[in-house]
Amino acid sequence: LLGALALRVYGLRWGLPERIDLNPDEATVLQIVGRMSWQNLDPGAYFYGGFFYEVCVLVRSILRTLWPGIGESGLVLAYRSVSALFGTATAEPTTR
């Protein structure tokens, strides 16, 4: 698991904070999560499954409470971290 996490965390800050437009999927995630609220948790798109977007709304809410001036690059990093944690949680150990 540590190896899986290390591989996902390496390069997590790629292109940040100067370029948040390097990956078109990230701009889409920013738009989708930006439209969501606690009153409306329907992302309207399920490119990554609804639960991913709902966790990103939770992370966004926490970060905006702790750091009101967080910008888009900070949110991209946070959403990348959510994706890395989901990927690590689903890593399957190999046995010989």
Side-chain angles (χ1 to χ4, degrees):
L1 282 177
L2 289 176
L5 180 63
L7 288 172
R8 285 167 174 82
V9 171
Y10 179 79
L12 207 58
R13 295 186 51 86
W14 172 71
L16 297 177
E18 300 83 20
R19 299 283 308 269
I20 62 167
D21 60 344
L22 294 173
N23 186 338
D25 287 350
E26 292 174 343
T28 303
V29 170
L30 279 173
Q31 290 175 356
I32 291 170
V33 175
R35 289 191 311 255
M36 294 174 67
S37 68
W38 288 110
Q39 290 76 30
N40 180 17
L41 285 175
D42 181 15
Y46 299 94
F47 305 118
Y48 298 109
F51 186 64
F52 171 75
Y53 296 117
E54 292 168 358
V55 171
C56 287
V57 169
L58 175 65
V59 168
R60 180 191 66 192
S61 298
I62 292 169
L63 288 175
R64 286 193 173 159
T65 300
L66 298 175
W67 185 20
I70 191 167
E72 285 188 339
S73 63
L75 292 174
V76 167
L77 181 61
Y79 302 158
R80 285 179 184 178
S81 299
V82 169
S83 181
L85 290 176
F86 278 8
T88 302
T90 59
E92 185 175 334
T94 58
T95 58
R96 292 184 184 223

